């Protein structure tokens, strides 16, 4: 193989590896909404608009229900 062809293949592999490395470094792990159930309520309290507060409270209720189902039990709250 001529030197220029080897250089082109090496450059292509380097760029491909760099893209794969950047993709891997920027991956954000999916957060567990059940890990901090109070954050949804805190967001609802701090919301400025009344419609935003209602939407965030509804979201907190839904997330809490989903977490209870996932845990397999229902508590008397």
């Amino acid at each position: 193989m001529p030197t220029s062809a080897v250089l082109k293949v090496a450059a292509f592999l380097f760029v491909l590896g760099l893209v794969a490395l950047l993709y891997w470094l920027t991956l954000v792990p999916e957060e567990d909404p059940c890990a901090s159930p109070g954050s949804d309520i805190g967001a609802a309290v701090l919301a400025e608009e009344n419609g935003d507060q209602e939407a965030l409270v509804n979201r907190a209720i839904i997330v809490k229900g989903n977490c209870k189902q996932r845990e397999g039990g229902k508590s008397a709250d």
Side-chain angles (χ1 to χ4, degrees), residues 16-29:
L16 188 64
L18 187 61
V19 169
L21 176 67
L22 289 174
Y23 172 75
W24 180 70
L25 288 175
T26 57
L27 279 178
V28 177

Side-chain angles (χ1 to χ4, degrees), residues 27-74:
L27 279 178
V28 177
E30 188 175 330
E31 295 181 17
D32 184 17
C34 298
S36 60
S39 64
D40 290 331
I41 298 298
V45 170
L46 295 174
E48 292 181 12
E49 299 293 326
N50 195 20
D52 292 342
Q53 289 177 342
E54 291 175 13
L56 289 169
V57 167
N58 289 339
R59 181 189 186 285
I61 292 169
I62 291 169
V63 168
K64 185 175 180 179
N66 289 342
C67 291
K68 283 183 182 180
Q69 285 180 352
R70 193 168 75 179
E71 290 173 1
K74 295 194 179 224

